[in-house]
Amino acid sequence: DADVTQTPRNRITKTGKRIMLECSQTKGHDRMYWYRQDPGLGLRLIYYSFDVKDINKGEISDGYSVSRQAQAKFSLSLESAIPNQTALYFCATSDTGFPDTQYFGPGTRLTVL
Amino acid sequence: AQSVTQPDIHITVSEGASLELRCNYSYGATPYLFWYVQSPGQGLQLLLKYFSGDTLVQGIKGFEAEFKRSQSSFNLRKPSVHWSDAAEYFCAVGARNTGNQFYFGTGTSLTVIP
């Protein structure tokens, strides 16, 4: 089984809808991250969490929120989706101690119509 | 501010030819540097990383990279490319002084022709 899983893998939604993307990991890592990938822009950090009680905004957090339900689970929410949030979203984990290798999930392709 | 530049958006090489992907970074302190590969439909996988020590680092799949502080570069190389190397390659820098974040370049897409 994959160490970092994301659900759903693909989602099409409409403008204004609330969307939640979920990430689970079995690596036992404390640190979890959410990125979005856009063509020509690479990966940009949305939010990151160093433990259940420590959540931090990344480079592009506006329009997003997160919840760290447990060490193994980190969810990303779009409260009111808009078309420019159409992107590929990746969850990643890393062990305690910066810097460390990040392990990425397979991604969620989100389309907002 | 931290930044990572990958000047080449797309590179095409013949199978068996050598490869060099460029990466330049801007960071005020000692950088922690990474190269990741993204195969179609997949997440990113670490190829190699540099934290300190020997400036030539070896990675998986026959890749290597050289850290050159004077040029602020961390170029990725492979002596002989295989068709399976076709993928998107990302350079990244870890920045301790801004909340331990990682900054990624925009990526280089590699096409391998027979």
Side-chain angles (χ1 to χ4, degrees), chain A residues 9 31 33 35 37-38 40-45 48 50 57-59 88 90 94 97-107, chain B residues 27 32 34 36 38 41-46 49-51 88 90 93-107:
Chain A
R9 293 293 311 277
R31 301 184 175 201
Y33 308 78
Y35 291 91
Q37 183 181 24
D38 299 277
L41 296 179
L43 275 76
R44 292 179 293 167
L45 183 63
Y48 60 107
F50 286 170
K57 293 182 177 180
E59 182 183 357
L88 186 56
F90 286 104
S94 68
F98 182 88
D100 201 353
T101 301
Q102 292 190 306
Y103 296 86
F104 286 82
Chain B
Y27 184 56
Y32 303 104
F34 305 79
Y36 286 87
Q38 183 183 26
Q42 304 293 317
L44 280 71
Q45 179 186 21
L46 180 73
K49 59 188 177 184
Y50 171 78
F51 290 173
E88 188 96 16
F90 292 93
V93 62
R96 183 181 292 278
N97 66 348
T98 55
N100 296 342
Q101 296 188 38
F102 294 89
Y103 296 87
F104 285 79
T106 53

Side-chain angles (χ1 to χ4, degrees), chain B residues 1 13 18 24 41-42 45 51 53-55 57 59 61 65-67 81-82 84 86-87 89 92 102:
Chain B
V13 300
S18 64
N24 293 96
Q42 304 293 317
Q45 179 186 21
F51 290 173
D54 192 345
T55 56
V57 293
K61 305 184 181 184
E66 186 171 12
F67 170 58
V81 171
H82 188 263
S84 61
Y89 291 81
F102 294 89

Side-chain angles (χ1 to χ4, degrees), chain B residues 57-74:
Chain B
V57 293
Q58 302 297 321
I60 62 171
K61 305 184 181 184
F63 285 92
E64 66 178 26
E66 186 171 12
F67 170 58
K68 294 184 177 180
R69 184 185 298 275
S70 61
Q71 299 177 18
S72 297
S73 69
F74 189 57

